């Protein structure tokens, strides 16, 4: 699986076969435009020299044929490029999201802002550039054809024109270097902007209570990024614009020279001067197109490098896939964890070594102060964090550290910072009888309806949304339910119902095992095993010794 993803992520951005076809259409389109200008030139030249040999009706047929070829090729080309650009746009997004789905949780947190920037800014830059690639290529073909025709008209004038055009290209290229640097800097600012935006979005409640927080974030951080980004981007594009204007001035100077001085200097006939000038004026359009597209291509190049770097990084950290082991330990009797240890880094908080036993249908409560490592421990047994050391035994059979992904399918969690999806995703066959049973048990009848697997609403209170999340994990039908402060957002009545009725129902009727982090000490006596987390260590507590609490 990993190899397949890596190959996909490094595959060609633009499919080769369509690119060849569109390139041929671009050549036909460009040459038809060139044919049109050639016919006009021929008519003008013959009119000036009074050597008309073709009846005007023949030119009409030529014009009609050229226009039809141009229209058909241009229409097919434009339609194809639009389809291709959208395919590129969505394929890039799909590739990145596939890699995200396969990336380890903890590592993925480091790439959140980069992922947002890629899926918004970078993808748009690349898809916009892909729309212009064929136009760029078509313009190059047209420029080449015009230069060949200009050589046929006058080699001397072509030589002068080539020097002027080369000078314009050189000025444009030299000035573009600093513009490209600024475009890269603007791309980096996009990542910072998204970080600030997320802080505003995620901290909306706090900002609503204290508006000064939002004002300070906006004034001191957002405005700085926005002003810097705007200034750099405008400066970069103005440099491109100035270079373009300089090139056009050189172009107009060239035309002036040809019309005013070439007859004296090179003894160029008037018909040749007119034809040559007409071709030059026609050539200005493709040259301006090329110069206009170059900044877009440069932005796309910067974005493409960022995207490829992100895809390579995500592919490197891709977690191993063990789909074949799904349900392997579903009928387990006991799970033993030995010497589990995890650290956030040298001289940083760590948990372990932890030894932990749980039997089927057991209810285990874990308590302890804030910051003692309870949630970190849960994340380690769920294999969201890669352990530094440890092994597990299921029914006495060793599952070594490198194969712990195998036992992930034992667990179905509801996190303290859970996310409620809008449907029963990941469940092949939804048992709607069970859904209705759970809705009644969790007192959500009339508040949420289920249609085609989707919830009628997720706009519920936090406690009600947690109930829906628990219903979802029950339908996943995994043997161990993991709850992180699940009851903290329930009202007193339902909290009491959860500990005294719902837990027993889940264990008895659904054949489940429960591991729950909780601070509700008045209900500790409903657990079979009570564990205390302190300084990253897990110790068993004798429930009978805490009788005075209950």
């Amino acid at each position: 699986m990993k190899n397949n993803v890596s190959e996909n992520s490094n595959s060609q951005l633009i499919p080769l076969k369509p690119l060849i076809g569109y390139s041929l259409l671009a050549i036909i389109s460009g040459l038809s435009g060139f044919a049109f200008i050639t016919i006009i030139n021929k008519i003008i030249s013959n009119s000036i020299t009074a050597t008309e040999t073709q009846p005007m009706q023949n030119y009409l047929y030529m014009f009609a044929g050229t226009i039809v070829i141009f229209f058909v090729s241009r229409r097919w080309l434009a339609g194809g490029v639009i389809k291709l650009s959208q395919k590129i746009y969505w394929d890039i997004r799909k590739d990145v999201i596939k890699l995200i789905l396969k990336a380890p949780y903890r590592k993925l947190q480091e790439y959140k802002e980069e992922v947002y920037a890629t899926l918004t800014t970078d993808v748009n830059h690349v898809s916009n550039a892909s729309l212009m690639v064929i136009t760029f290529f078509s313009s190059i073909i047209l420029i080449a054809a015009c230069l060949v025709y200009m050589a046929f008209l006058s080699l001397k004038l072509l030589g002068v024109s080539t020097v002027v055009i080369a000078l314009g290209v050189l000025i444009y290229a030299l000035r573009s270097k600093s513009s490209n640097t600024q475009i890269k800097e603007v791309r980096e600012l996009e990542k910072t902007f998204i970080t600030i935006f997320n802080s505003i979005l995620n901290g909306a409640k706090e900002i609503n209570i204290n508006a000064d927080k939002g004002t300070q974030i906006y004034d001191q951080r957002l405005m700085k990024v926005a002003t810097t980004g705007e200034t750099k981007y405008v400066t970069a594009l103005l440099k491109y614009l100035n270079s373009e204007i300089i090139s056009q001035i050189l172009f107009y100077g060239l035309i002036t020279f040809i019309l005013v001085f070439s007859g004296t200097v090179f003894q160029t006939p008037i018909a040749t001067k007119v034809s040559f000038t007409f071709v030059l004026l026609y050539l200005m359009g493709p040259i301006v197109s090329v110069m206009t597209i170059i900044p877009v291509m440069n932005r796309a190049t910067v974005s493409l490098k960022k995207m490829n770097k992100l895809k390579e990084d995500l592919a490197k950290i891709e977690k191993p896939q063990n789909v074949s082991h799904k349900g392997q330990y579903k009928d387990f009797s006991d799970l033993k964890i030995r010497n589990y240890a995890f650290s956030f880094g040298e001289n940083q908080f760590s948990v372990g070594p932890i030894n932990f036993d749980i039997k089927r249908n057991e209810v285990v409560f874990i308590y302890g102060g804030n910051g003692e490592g309870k949630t970190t421990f849960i994340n380690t047994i769920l294999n969201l964090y890669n352990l530094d050391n440890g092994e597990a035994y299921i029914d006495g059979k060793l599952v070594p550290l490198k194969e712990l992904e195998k036992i992930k399918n034992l667990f179905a969690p509801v996190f303290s910072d859970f996310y409620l999806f809008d449907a029963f995703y990941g469940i092949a066959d939804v048992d709607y009888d069970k859904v209705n049973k759970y809705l009644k048990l969790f007192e959500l009848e009339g508040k949420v309806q289920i249609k085609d697997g989707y919830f009628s609403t997720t706009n519920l209170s936090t406690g009600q949304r947690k109930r829906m999340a628990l219903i979802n994990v029950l339908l996943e039908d995994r043997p161990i339910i993991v709850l992180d402060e699940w009851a903290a957002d329930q009202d007193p009545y339902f909290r009491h119902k959860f500990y005294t009725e719902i837990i027993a129902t889940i264990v008895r009727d659904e054949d489940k095992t429960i591991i729950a982090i909780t601070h509700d000490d008045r209900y500790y006596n409903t657990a079979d095993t009570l564990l205390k987390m302190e300084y990253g260590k897990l110790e068993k507590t004798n429930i009978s010794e805490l009788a005075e609490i209950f």
Side-chain angles (χ1 to χ4, degrees), residues 41 43 89 106 117 129 157 270 343 348 367 457 464 483-484:
N41 243 346
I43 294 173
Y89 179 84
R106 185 165 174 248
L157 292 182
I270 188 168
S343 173
Q348 296 189 51
Y367 73 100
T457 182
Q464 290 170 336
L483 306 174
D484 189 354

Side-chain angles (χ1 to χ4, degrees), residues 26-289:
I27 292 172
I28 294 170
S29 177
L31 291 179
S32 64
F34 171 70
F36 190 81
I37 194 66
T38 304
I39 295 168
I40 293 174
N41 243 346
K42 183 67 174 175
I43 294 173
I44 293 173
S45 178
N46 290 343
S47 298
I48 292 173
T49 58
T51 58
E52 187 64 57
T53 58
Q54 295 255 22
M56 290 305 294
Q57 189 175 2
N58 289 347
Y59 287 120
L60 180 62
Y61 294 146
M62 292 180 190
F63 276 131
T66 303
I67 290 170
V68 168
I69 293 171
F70 176 80
F71 174 79
V72 172
S73 61
R74 198 71 180 180
R75 176 62 183 81
W76 285 355
L77 179 62
V81 168
I82 289 170
K83 292 177 182 177
L84 181 61
S85 69
Q86 282 302 299
K87 177 175 174 54
I88 291 168
Y89 179 84
W90 289 107
D91 281 355
I92 292 170
R93 285 186 156 192
K94 289 187 290 185
D95 284 348
V96 172
I97 290 174
K98 278 182 182 178
L99 290 168
I100 290 170
L101 292 173
K102 292 175 171 60
Y105 169 78
R106 185 165 174 248
K107 281 289 185 182
L108 186 58
Q109 304 312 299
E110 301 173 14
Y111 289 90
K112 279 202 297 189
E113 284 76 21
E114 191 68 36
V115 167
Y116 285 136
T118 293
L119 292 181
T120 53
T121 304
D122 291 333
V123 173
N124 281 321
H125 285 168
V126 172
S127 62
N128 289 339
S130 66
L131 277 170
M132 298 183 177
V133 165
I134 305 299
T135 302
F136 180 84
F137 185 69
S138 180
S139 297
I140 294 295
I141 295 294
L142 192 54
I143 290 169
C146 286
L147 289 174
V148 171
Y149 183 62
M150 288 160 65
F152 172 77
L153 291 174
S154 172
L155 285 174
K156 292 178 181 179
L157 292 182
L158 175 64
V160 174
S161 301
T162 302
V163 170
V164 174
I165 292 172
L167 181 60
V169 170
L170 180 63
I171 292 171
Y172 194 86
L174 291 175
R175 292 177 62 86
S176 295
K177 283 187 177 181
S178 60
S179 296
N180 293 343
T181 301
Q182 288 174 319
I183 286 175
K184 290 178 183 178
E185 292 172 356
V186 171
R187 170 56 182 78
E188 289 301 317
L189 287 172
E190 185 70 21
K191 182 179 175 181
T192 306
F193 173 81
I194 288 172
T195 302
I196 298 169
F197 174 74
N198 282 335
S199 69
I200 293 173
L201 200 62
N202 296 330
K205 288 188 290 186
E206 290 80 357
I207 289 172
N208 190 270
I209 298 299
N210 184 353
D212 290 341
K213 290 179 185 289
T215 302
Q216 189 173 355
I217 292 171
Y218 183 87
D219 291 341
Q220 295 183 11
R221 295 201 64 198
L222 186 65
M223 281 299 295
K224 182 179 178 181
V225 171
T227 302
T228 304
E230 180 183 350
T231 302
K232 286 182 178 293
Y233 201 58
V234 168
T235 301
L237 293 185
L238 284 177
K239 286 182 179 179
Y240 281 119
L241 178 61
N242 291 338
S243 301
E244 184 180 328
I245 291 172
I246 292 171
S247 300
Q248 288 177 343
I249 291 172
L250 289 171
F251 207 82
Y252 289 134
L254 173 62
I255 291 173
T256 302
F257 171 81
I258 291 171
L259 290 175
V260 177
F261 300 108
S262 65
T264 305
V265 177
F266 299 128
Q267 288 76 47
T268 306
I270 188 168
T272 301
K273 287 196 296 182
V274 171
S275 296
F276 202 92
T277 301
F278 195 76
V279 175
L280 274 177
L281 288 171
Y282 183 78
L283 189 61
M284 184 179 287
I287 290 175
V288 170
S289 291

